[in-house]
């Protein structure tokens, strides 16, 4: 009800089982009422960020209903603060008598055993090997506040094969983390290159828009100037036609005056002739 079962896988047997994730198995003794179930909640988003209803790590009861188990896959080197919470239909019971539980840091598959609302008796951290016959190494560390911390780097001197296998797992996780860091750096570099190309493309588009706007303005100015030139030419043509018409009228008037003057002279000459006779 508080998280799909496929998000609560069985514990992995190697640090590399889920890519770069490390398996943490939870085992808690807890008595619940009918309809209640136990979840893990804490600071990691996988376990609800201290909101138990959002936790994806929902524990399953055994046949007796008194022990609850489940698992989560975490990033290597994760420091996990958490608590077990009993959820009912409309209620929740927290571990209020103890401080936050702590796993710090998680470097290899572990099994965390506890009793609900109790610290220092059953709580322990166990390092699990991929070999079925390898012994479990318990490393309990109880702080002054009563919280359990476990360093997942214990060694079993009596089992050299087990130590070598743990070393190989730790080395594989370290190499995988370095490879992931390199890939993330390359991705960041690629993102920076893409961002630079995008910025250059944006600048080029801005220059193109500016050039287009200037060209449109030049074309507008050219059309306006052409219109003005055509209007001036038409005005000059009109004035020339008017001047030609005026010149023709003046020429006609001069011709008429000249003809009138000639006729007047002929009359004067005729009068003079008559007087002389």
């Amino acid at each position: 009800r508080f998280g799909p079962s496929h998000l609560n896988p069985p514990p992995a047997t190697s640090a590399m089982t889920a890519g770069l994730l490390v398996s943490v198995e939870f085992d808690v003794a807890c008595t619940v009422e009918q309809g209640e179930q136990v979840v893990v909640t804490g600071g990691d988003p996988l376990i609800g960020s201290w909101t138990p209803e959002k936790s994806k790590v929902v524990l399953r009861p055994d046949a007796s209903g008194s022990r609850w188990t489940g698992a989560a896959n975490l990033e290597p080197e994760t420091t996990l603060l958490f608590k077990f919470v009993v959820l009912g239909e409309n209620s929740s019971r927290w571990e209020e008598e103890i401080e936050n539980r702590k796993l710090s840091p998680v470097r290899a598959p572990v099994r965390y055993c506890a009793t609900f609302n109790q610290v220092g008796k059953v709580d322990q951290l166990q390092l699990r090997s991929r070999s079925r016959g390898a012994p479990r190494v318990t490393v309990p560390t109880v702080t002054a506040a009563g919280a359990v911390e476990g360093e997942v780097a214990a060694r079993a001197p009596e089992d050299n094969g087990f130590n070598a296998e743990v070393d190989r797992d730790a080395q594989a996780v370290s190499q995988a983390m370095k490879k992931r860091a390199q890939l993330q750096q390359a991705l960041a570099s690629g993102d920076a290159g893409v961002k630079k190309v995008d910025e250059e493309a944006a600048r080029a588009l801005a220059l193109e828009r500016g050039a287009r706007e200037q060209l449109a303005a030049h074309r507008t100015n050219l059309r306006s100037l052409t219109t003005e030139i055509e209007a001036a030419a038409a005005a000059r043509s009109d004035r020339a036609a008017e001047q030609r018409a005026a010149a023709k009228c003046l020429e006609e008037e001069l011709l008429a005056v000249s003809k009138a003057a000639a006729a007047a002279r002929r009359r004067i000459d005729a009068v003079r002739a008559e007087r002389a006779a």
Side-chain angles (χ1 to χ4, degrees):
R1 184 168 60 90
F2 300 101
S5 59
H6 69 276
L7 294 175
N8 189 21
T13 56
S14 169
M16 302 302 293
T17 300
L20 297 178
L21 303 180
V22 177
S23 174
V24 177
E25 184 178 350
F26 300 96
D27 186 336
V28 59
C30 181
T31 302
V32 301
E33 302 294 335
Q34 185 175 1
E36 294 180 333
Q37 54 186 336
V38 182
V39 302
V40 181
T41 189
D44 194 277
L46 179 65
I47 54 177
S49 299
W50 295 110
T51 303
E53 291 81 4
K54 296 181 179 180
S55 175
K56 295 181 175 60
V57 183
V58 181
L59 306 186
R60 300 186 182 92
D62 61 3
S64 65
S66 60
R67 297 203 68 85
W68 296 74
T69 58
N73 290 322
L74 304 176
E75 294 284 342
E77 304 295 332
T78 297
T79 296
L80 189 66
L81 297 177
F82 68 98
K83 280 188 175 183
F84 298 105
V85 178
V86 177
L87 286 180
E89 289 294 335
N90 300 305
S91 63
S92 62
R93 285 191 289 122
W94 289 67
E95 295 182 301
E96 297 179 352
E97 297 180 7
I98 61 173
E99 299 293 332
N100 294 335
R101 300 179 185 272
K102 183 176 182 180
L103 287 175
S104 170
V106 179
R107 298 195 182 101
V110 298
R111 179 181 178 87
Y112 188 92
C113 299
T115 297
F116 189 82
N117 227 1
Q118 294 183 17
V119 171
K121 293 182 179 180
V122 183
D123 287 5
Q124 59 187 6
L125 200 63
Q126 295 179 326
L127 186 66
R128 301 188 294 113
S129 169
R130 290 181 294 181
S131 301
R132 295 182 179 179
R136 290 182 175 179
V137 180
T138 302
V139 190
T141 304
V142 182
T143 65
V148 175
E149 297 185 8
E151 176 69 24
V152 191
R155 294 291 182 266
E158 67 277 7
D159 193 338
N160 293 331
F162 174 67
N163 292 338
E165 189 169 9
V166 171
D167 288 339
R168 285 195 299 271
D169 281 347
Q171 185 176 6
V173 170
S174 177
Q175 292 176 352
M177 292 180 66
K178 289 180 180 179
K179 183 63 176 178
R180 182 179 63 176
Q182 293 174 355
L183 292 175
Q184 290 176 341
Q185 184 177 2
L187 180 60
S189 177
D191 290 342
V194 171
K195 183 178 180 181
K196 184 176 180 181
V197 170
D198 290 340
E199 291 175 351
E200 292 178 353
R203 286 195 295 269
L205 289 175
L207 291 174
E208 182 182 359
R209 284 194 297 269
R212 289 181 180 275
E213 292 174 356
Q214 291 180 358
L215 179 60
H218 290 327
R219 286 177 175 173
T220 301
N221 293 334
L222 180 59
R223 285 194 295 268
S224 178
L225 182 59
T226 301
T227 302
E228 292 178 0
I229 292 173
E230 291 175 351
R236 285 197 301 270
S237 177
D238 293 341
R239 285 196 297 271
E242 291 176 357
Q243 290 174 355
R244 285 193 297 271
K248 186 176 181 180
C249 291
L250 182 59
E251 183 180 357
E252 291 176 352
E253 290 177 358
L254 288 175
L255 181 60
V257 170
S258 177
K259 289 180 179 181
R265 280 196 298 271
R266 284 194 298 271
R267 287 195 299 271
I268 292 172
D269 290 341
V271 172
R272 286 178 179 175
E274 287 178 358
R275 287 180 182 178

